[in-house]
Amino acid sequence: MAVLSTLRVLENALIRKERKLPTPGDVLVAEGDQVDPETVIAKAEYVKGNPYIIDLRAELKQKVGPELVDRVMLKQVGDIVKAKEVIARYQKGFWSEVIEVTSPCDGVIEYISRTQGRIVIREDPRSAKPVSVVAAASRLGINPRLLRFVTTVREGDYVYEGKIIAQLDGQDFVYAPISGIVEKICTLTGTITLVKPIKHTKVLAHIGGRVTKVLPHYGAVVETTGAYIQGVFGIGGERSGELIIMSGGPDRPLDESRIDEHVSGKILVSGSSASLEAVQAARAHGALGLITGGMNQLDLVQLAGRELNIGLTGQEDTDFTVVILEGFGQLPVNRQTWDILEKHNGNIASIDGTTQIRAGVIRPEIIISTSGDAEPALAEEATCGLPLISDETKLAPTVTYAALRVGDRVRCTRPPYFGLWGTVENLPLEPSQVECEAVLEVAEVRLDDGRSVTVPQANLEVFRSEV
Amino acid sequence: MYRRLLAADIGSTTTKTVLFEIQDGAWAMKGKAVSPTTVEAPHLDVMIGLRQALSKLEALTGIRLLDGARLITPAGEGLGVDIFVASSSAGGGLQMVVTGLMKEITAESAHRAALGAGAIVSDVIALDDPRSAIEKIDAIKRLRPDMVLVTGGTDGGNISEVAAIAEMVAMANPEPRFGQDFKTPVIFAGNVEARSFVEQLFKDQMELSFADNIRPMLEKEVLGPARHKIHDIFLEHVMMHAPGYSTLFAWADGHIKPTPVAVGDALRFVAGKFDGDLLAVDVGGATTDVFSVIDSEFYRTVSANLGMSYSMGNVLAEATPAMVLRWLPFEADENIVRNWNFNKMIRPTGLPHTFQELMLEQAVCKEALRLSLEHHKSLIRGLKGVRQQRGVGDIFRQAATGDTLVDMMEIKVMIGTGGALSYAPRRSQAAMILLDGLQPEGITHLYVDSWFLLPHMGVLMDIDKDVARELIEKETLIPLGTCIAPVGPQASPGRTIARVTVGGDTYDVVSGALQVIDLEDGGQGGIEVVPHREFDVGGGPGRPVSEQLPGGVTRLILDGRGRPLELPKDVTSARRTVARWYHALGAYPSHTLKGLEV
């Protein structure tokens, strides 16, 4: 049994990408807008919606058990609350003072621990305020001037929510309600001011095309027609730039003599391999990425800055994306893939090196838009019958087996014929002994170089072309 | 009574079927067939893969097994089976989250209980781990375990903190992976006095059941009841909702177990036959399972990122390329090892064709075993933070609190299984992998389960122990030899460190050397090993040991290489050394070791 190649290599496809923010923000495009890869689809400036912790023991100044929590709470898990809204009320006796506990923010009650007397409110990021002022002296019942004697933090410290920021005699504690930086410890007011860092986030179009649908507060769907190619492994995230062919052919390595300032802002295309030195030189000249047939795994590790042990990539701290098309080592690019890339030499390509090799296989991809400024009506006609590539296409089955047939076009995936293409000529019924003495199902293959060889079927990748 | 038995193991990647038949009064394997497992999309039904495998089995054996989509029972002339048993780890197996109060006390015990029940433990959550309550709740929600084990508190002890950890699980209320119309099971195996509170917490939300406290006292760990409860609930709740399993249950008439549980049951039986401990390894594509039976207690660990296909990249990263290169008797550099390794990772179904490839693969397997054994030893250890209760039987063997319970000198049997071991073209290669990867000490009998029959035997044992015993002895465990590895101080090469007498002949165990003695009569009469006074083979330094050899053992492996194994620092010398060892064992043909001093 051989393995069916499920890599998509399409000269022309309808490509649909959903471009979304991770949190609500502002969408900057409208349906029908023409976009290019660098167009900002949506952006958000927000303070991360941290959880606020309210310690009922501190608020009520006494031990708190499950029954008391049930008695004092006016809200339940899942309730939406507003800043300053009363969420718990306690009165010990008829003549006693009524203690009201209010929400420090707009948000939703996420967790109430009856055993520990804690309430967690998840802040609504849209209304999150960057500043939180904690009345520490009042909480501990001390003179504000004595605050610095009881604080456990200093100005400039970064604290995580829940961290103790002041304590008295090891018995009474003040917790940081948010994560942030200690901006000020004020001995006049007896307060500790925490400031949350503001995060800016945006999502780009990544591909050139047309906005076909707006996703309110989050982003949009962008569609285009063009070429779509998947690789086997990559590093680095989304990048776009002009393609530039840097090899003499699919079986030639990257031509280092051509690396100069002209590669700045471009995505390089190499044939069978690219050396680390060449790639680093290209990076130094401002190249954005590399598409190559093969590459040494050690070189890729150097570029990624970390070991790639579990085959999960895309989050590397790198400004350079690599898409490997065929495998590790020196491997010629598939002819069909090379022809597409060569045809688009000088065009803008969008690449993404994100890879996951199992538990939901994700393949690195290359998209070259060709729909340009075509009128929407014309574009619709042209897309009829094209294979659809959506966000789900990146996901692939882990392994798809295929029963070999005489005449199948195959590629060898293990030594000694690794990377060589051929055609199946015969399929012996009985297993045969191969060089290492294993007895395996084999196929007789006529390689493109003319040799007739016997290869274990498990070491053949079958290509059955689609559009 | 029975004429024909059918067994199936539905793994994550492949479904394996085996047919046994009684011939001339003795049970024998009639045939076996493998097909890809079909639990995931687009098939979403394990029975498709199983029927495909059975069709192949029919073609191979000439026995008709299927009538349309139905299994033919009982057995008749040329058709049908009397019994069908199944084991499974498909759909990712049983994925659990375990919780406890203290990371190194109840949480660790909970971890052991879940592993012993055949689970993959996705997370271990303890009250004293550094994550906040919200992070722990988010973790449980995100992981969507099939089952949660909640533990904590000795009986009569802490309730409030046990309640706090249970509360987090209740808050998370994870959605089940399969079957949206049932509740995720949760087992409470903590302080019995917290049961009523826990019941209040989980009612209407999760499917709660109780098991005996896994730490009723700090000094006592009781894992059996929790393991059984996990197993029962797995079968009843989780597997029944996985695609195609209800039909599988009906076919097997309930005789179905999670694969690691079935393997554990078979191994306990095997360990009972030998007077000593047992170690078994199953090297898979993504994970390596290590099983041990120590003082009749069964233990299992799963090294989740050490395996021979998807996890090869991690084996290389954890072991380092230099540790893999040291096993190769040919010139190779780091690039060769890394490229080969990662090409296997992205195309995991390929098989070695050349000898160099085979050697590379087996070198990586040795490192996967070495790392997995370290992981196993680190997890299987004496209870931490308690005063040891010593009985008379404990005097000679008592791990200090927190020390590993795995004593390689006490391991009498080592069994290997998994593709790289079971399908090694020569048995001597499988022996070499176990010797170099696991480094047995003293006198150890080595076996390989070539057809991965242990899980089948583990299920069959519940139906007919005698048939299972016969098949284990005859078909399952292929003997690789008995290893005699004296342990002592580093000795100069060529020095005799022990003498072995078998069948009236005496042989020297030589420092730095590996030697194979083929036994014509299977070693009847047993062996006597007399170590040098500084060396130990199980009886203490300098003390002789006599043993009967198990039936079927036809070779002795005299391993004088020392423990831990060390190779010369000089690369060329190291290559020559491993080439000599491989040549001594007959692991590879001489022509593949040519040019080196052999």
Side-chain angles (χ1 to χ4, degrees):
Chain A
M1 205 51 99
V3 171
L4 187 69
S5 173
T6 55
L7 290 179
R8 308 297 294 276
V9 177
L10 300 166
E11 186 161 355
N12 211 7
L14 172 63
I15 300 158
R16 184 179 295 153
K17 286 279 183 189
E18 206 173 76
R19 309 298 299 164
K20 283 176 69 169
L21 291 168
T23 57
D26 301 316
V27 179
L28 305 178
V29 296
E31 194 173 310
D33 282 358
Q34 206 65 27
V35 295
D36 62 42
E38 299 300 316
T39 304
V40 179
I41 297 291
K43 66 174 185 176
E45 284 177 357
Y46 70 103
V47 180
K48 190 178 160 206
N50 277 313
Y52 277 75
I53 297 177
I54 298 169
D55 185 344
L56 283 177
R57 283 177 294 191
E59 296 290 332
L60 305 185
K61 293 185 177 34
Q62 64 171 76
K63 274 188 180 169
V64 167
E67 294 75 26
L68 187 57
V69 171
D70 290 343
R71 194 151 55 94
V72 306
M73 283 300 302
L74 303 176
K75 298 287 181 183
Q76 295 175 348
V77 171
D79 283 352
I80 293 172
V81 295
K82 292 278 175 205
K84 294 195 172 58
E85 183 178 349
V86 176
I87 59 173
R89 184 178 289 120
Y90 174 65
Q91 184 178 25
K92 193 170 182 178
F94 188 77
W95 301 107
S96 307
E97 160 198 22
V98 174
I99 300 174
E100 288 184 336
V101 180
T102 57
S103 172
C105 63
D106 291 353
V108 63
I109 296 197
E110 198 167 77
Y111 177 55
I112 300 173
S113 171
R114 296 168 68 238
T115 55
Q116 295 177 315
R118 284 180 163 193
I119 307 163
V120 178
I121 301 175
R122 177 76 64 178
E123 186 177 29
D124 182 345
R126 281 171 291 194
S127 62
K129 294 179 181 43
V131 174
S132 178
V133 179
V134 183
S138 156
R139 294 251 180 99
L140 295 175
I142 62 169
N143 189 307
R145 289 202 181 88
L146 302 174
L147 184 56
R148 284 193 188 274
F149 291 103
V150 300
T151 48
T152 57
V153 294
R154 295 179 298 188
E155 277 98 341
D157 284 351
Y158 186 88
V159 298
Y160 289 97
E161 55 88 5
K163 182 182 162 63
I164 295 171
I165 54 176
Q167 62 166 333
L168 184 64
D169 299 330
Q171 298 216 7
D172 293 324
F173 302 96
V174 178
Y175 301 95
I178 61 168
S179 297
I181 295 168
V182 178
E183 195 191 55
K184 188 176 166 71
I185 299 172
C186 181
T187 52
L188 278 178
T189 58
T191 56
I192 301 173
T193 302
L194 302 174
V195 175
K196 283 195 261 196
I198 294 178
K199 282 189 179 242
H200 304 273
T201 192
K202 60 184 177 184
V203 62
L204 304 182
H206 180 54
I207 60 173
R210 190 167 60 93
V211 174
T212 56
K213 185 178 172 186
V214 168
L215 306 169
H217 306 298
Y218 282 93
V221 176
V222 180
E223 266 188 27
T224 188
T225 53
Y228 181 81
I229 299 166
Q230 285 180 330
V232 295
F233 203 87
I235 60 166
E238 296 177 340
R239 250 165 265 292
S240 57
E242 186 185 314
L243 279 182
I244 175 168
I245 304 291
M246 299 286 286
S247 294
D251 55 352
R252 309 296 296 277
L254 190 142
D255 184 352
E256 296 180 36
S257 67
R258 294 180 51 195
I259 296 173
D260 56 26
E261 64 276 5
H262 292 107
V263 304
S264 176
K266 298 202 168 73
I267 293 171
L268 314 189
V269 178
S270 167
S272 58
S273 64
S275 70
L276 179 64
E277 294 71 29
V279 175
Q280 283 176 336
R283 254 178 110 178
H285 278 103
L288 297 178
L290 170 72
I291 300 167
T292 179
M295 190 166 191
N296 278 337
Q297 194 267 354
L298 183 57
D299 293 345
L300 200 66
V301 165
Q302 310 271 35
L303 287 173
R306 64 174 180 89
E307 281 289 352
L308 302 168
N309 34 336
I310 56 171
L312 192 64
T313 69
Q315 305 301 317
E316 294 75 36
D317 185 16
T318 175
D319 56 0
F320 193 83
T321 295
V322 177
V323 175
I324 297 176
L325 295 169
E326 313 297 347
F328 294 93
Q330 284 201 27
L331 290 161
V333 178
N334 173 1
R335 189 80 230 181
Q336 183 191 3
T337 306
W338 183 261
D339 288 345
I340 294 172
L341 292 169
E342 205 170 36
K343 181 178 163 187
H344 289 287
N345 189 23
N347 290 353
I348 301 295
S350 305
I351 64 175
D352 184 1
T354 304
T355 306
Q356 185 167 303
I357 62 159
R358 68 179 293 249
V361 175
I362 296 175
R363 301 209 186 278
E365 57 182 19
I366 303 160
I367 297 169
I368 308 166
S369 302
T370 55
S371 55
D373 294 323
E375 289 290 330
L378 275 176
E380 264 185 53
E381 273 180 37
T383 60
C384 281
L386 289 180
L388 172 65
I389 300 293
S390 66
D391 291 306
E392 282 71 44
T393 308
K394 265 176 89 83
L395 307 176
T398 310
V399 175
T400 302
Y401 293 96
L404 279 174
R405 305 190 287 243
V406 171
D408 269 337
R409 189 91 181 114
V410 293
R411 178 171 57 189
C412 304
T413 57
R414 299 284 290 247
Y417 311 116
F418 189 29
L420 300 183
W421 286 82
T423 307
V424 175
E425 282 193 326
N426 188 26
L427 293 166
L429 288 173
E430 295 297 322
S432 296
Q433 188 177 74
V434 297
E435 182 198 305
C436 69
E437 298 175 344
V439 176
L440 304 169
E441 286 184 327
V442 296
E444 288 169 14
V445 176
R446 173 77 56 186
L447 296 176
D448 287 354
D449 62 17
R451 287 182 289 164
S452 182
V453 297
T454 300
V455 182
Q457 289 194 21
N459 297 352
L460 292 174
E461 197 172 29
V462 182
F463 288 79
R464 291 178 184 153
S465 62
E466 46 186 324
V467 174
Chain B
M1 193 168 135
Y2 310 120
R3 181 194 291 208
R4 212 172 282 120
L5 305 174
L6 177 65
D9 177 76
I10 300 166
S12 301
T13 315
T14 53
T15 294
K16 300 165 269 291
T17 55
V18 187
L19 192 65
F20 301 101
E21 198 174 61
I22 199 155
Q23 293 165 0
D24 300 324
W27 282 95
M29 185 166 66
K30 179 87 175 159
K32 58 180 181 55
V34 177
S35 213
T37 294
T38 52
V39 71
E40 295 192 8
H43 307 286
L44 293 173
D45 185 350
V46 292
M47 297 306 293
I48 295 173
L50 179 58
R51 289 189 182 99
Q52 285 171 350
L54 291 181
S55 299
K56 287 187 190 175
L57 198 53
E58 284 180 321
L60 215 66
T61 59
I63 306 283
R64 194 165 147 236
L65 299 169
L66 294 170
D67 177 13
R70 198 181 57 83
L71 183 68
I72 300 172
T73 61
E77 199 59 47
L79 81 168
V81 297
D82 293 304
I83 293 176
F84 170 62
V85 296
S87 54
S88 178
S89 58
L94 169 61
Q95 296 185 15
M96 283 186 71
V97 165
V98 303
T99 69
L101 286 196
M102 310 286 283
K103 225 163 46 157
E104 293 196 337
I105 303 181
T106 43
E108 193 175 288
S109 294
H111 194 179
R112 279 195 283 271
L115 288 174
I120 292 171
V121 179
S122 311
D123 203 345
V124 180
I125 292 177
L127 218 52
D128 68 340
D129 82 47
R131 293 174 284 183
S132 69
I134 288 297
E135 282 167 339
K136 290 170 192 168
I137 292 169
D138 282 347
I140 299 172
K141 274 191 184 153
R142 193 181 61 245
L143 289 166
R144 295 178 72 184
D146 295 314
M147 200 184 301
V148 182
L149 176 64
V150 177
T151 71
T154 53
D155 286 340
N158 189 312
I159 292 182
S160 62
E161 288 185 331
V162 176
I165 203 98
E167 198 173 48
M168 283 180 211
V169 174
M171 281 296 313
N173 192 12
E175 276 178 40
R177 281 194 301 148
F178 296 121
Q180 297 303 312
D181 55 352
F182 88 116
K183 299 177 200 161
T184 303
V186 58
I187 300 172
F188 180 69
N191 180 2
V192 293
E193 293 186 9
R195 280 189 180 188
S196 55
F197 184 81
V198 166
E199 200 163 15
Q200 283 298 307
L201 268 177
F202 287 115
K203 71 172 179 189
D204 302 330
Q205 270 190 301
M206 296 173 77
E207 196 67 47
L208 174 67
S209 50
F210 295 107
D212 292 349
N213 195 342
I214 60 171
R215 292 294 278 269
M217 298 184 287
L218 214 52
E219 300 86 4
K220 199 170 164 188
E221 185 179 79
V222 179
L223 303 181
R227 269 194 207 144
H228 284 120
K229 185 59 78 172
I230 291 170
H231 172 219
D232 291 343
I233 293 174
F234 179 47
L235 289 178
E236 281 169 35
H237 283 256
V238 182
M239 281 179 85
M240 285 305 286
H241 288 87
Y245 274 93
S246 49
T247 311
L248 185 70
F249 258 75
W251 276 29
D253 198 22
H255 298 303
I256 178 169
K257 287 183 183 176
T259 304
V261 171
V263 171
D265 289 344
L267 289 176
R268 257 187 286 247
F269 168 76
V270 172
K273 284 164 41 74
F274 295 88
D275 183 25
D277 297 341
L278 174 151
L279 188 74
V281 291
D282 175 8
V283 189
T287 65
T288 295
D289 280 27
V290 180
F291 308 85
S292 56
V293 181
I294 297 170
D295 289 339
S296 305
E297 280 294 325
F298 169 68
Y299 300 98
R300 168 180 168 262
T301 56
V302 179
S303 296
N305 280 322
L306 297 174
M308 292 302 295
S309 60
Y310 300 107
S311 298
M312 280 194 100
N314 198 56
V315 176
L316 193 67
E318 283 198 28
T320 76
M323 293 292 273
V324 173
L325 281 166
R326 68 183 172 143
W327 297 117
L328 301 177
F330 58 88
E331 202 166 321
D333 67 12
E334 188 174 345
N335 269 321
I336 289 175
V337 170
R338 282 178 176 270
N339 289 342
W340 178 86
N341 200 294
F342 267 69
N343 280 322
K344 172 88 198 245
M345 202 166 86
I346 59 175
R347 293 185 174 95
T349 57
L351 297 168
H353 184 159
T354 64
F355 272 109
Q356 285 200 352
E357 257 213 290
L358 184 68
M359 291 169 180
L360 259 167
E361 178 148 310
Q362 294 178 348
V364 173
C365 188
K366 291 174 189 177
E367 291 304 307
L369 286 184
R370 181 180 64 79
L371 293 167
S372 299
L373 181 59
E374 275 175 22
H375 179 218
H376 187 78
K377 285 179 178 176
S378 73
L379 213 60
I380 308 306
R381 51 186 179 161
L383 302 180
K384 288 196 79 172
V386 301
R387 281 189 15 212
Q388 296 273 284
Q389 287 180 331
R390 287 173 159 257
V392 169
D394 293 333
I395 286 173
F396 296 110
R397 209 155 94 94
Q398 179 72 59
T401 68
D403 277 3
T404 185
L405 297 177
V406 181
D407 182 348
M408 296 305 286
M409 190 65 79
E410 296 294 320
I411 302 283
K412 286 286 160 231
V413 180
M414 254 185 207
I415 302 170
T417 190
L421 284 158
S422 304
Y423 301 136
R426 293 188 181 191
R427 298 278 183 231
S428 51
Q429 291 161 7
M432 200 79 231
I433 293 169
L434 292 180
L435 290 172
D436 292 345
L438 299 177
Q439 298 185 29
E441 297 176 3
I443 302 172
T444 316
H445 311 295
L446 308 179
Y447 294 91
V448 68
D449 174 7
S450 252
W451 311 123
F452 201 53
L453 298 180
L454 277 170
H456 305 317
M457 298 304 111
V459 192
L460 189 58
M461 290 184 69
D462 290 351
I463 303 169
D464 194 315
K465 265 199 169 52
D466 292 331
V467 174
R469 181 175 38 79
E470 188 178 336
L471 285 170
I472 286 175
E473 288 168 0
K474 284 178 56 186
E475 298 278 4
T476 306
L477 297 183
I478 311 294
L480 300 176
T482 294
C483 172
I484 297 159
V487 176
Q490 200 166 20
S492 46
R495 194 177 139 210
T496 297
I497 57 174
R499 287 209 157 91
V500 179
T501 303
V502 59
D505 295 317
T506 299
Y507 306 90
D508 290 344
V509 182
V510 174
S511 171
L514 206 55
Q515 188 184 357
V516 170
I517 312 295
D518 286 310
L519 304 171
E520 284 175 11
D521 62 353
Q524 288 176 24
I527 58 168
E528 190 195 27
V529 184
V530 181
H532 185 274
R533 67 172 188 279
E534 293 175 300
F535 286 82
D536 182 8
V537 290
R543 288 171 175 263
V545 172
S546 297
E547 262 191 37
Q548 290 295 319
L549 289 176
V553 170
T554 58
R555 57 170 31 186
L556 295 182
I557 302 168
L558 309 184
D559 188 348
R561 299 177 298 167
R563 299 290 187 259
L565 269 183
E566 280 179 19
L567 284 159
K569 300 234 181 317
D570 171 64
V571 166
T572 307
S573 303
R575 269 191 221 128
R576 284 205 181 107
T577 303
V578 296
R580 272 203 302 276
W581 293 343
Y582 297 155
H583 181 71
L585 211 62
Y588 307 104
S590 300
H591 73 268
T592 65
L593 308 169
K594 205 188 297 188
L596 300 169
E597 191 186 301
V598 293

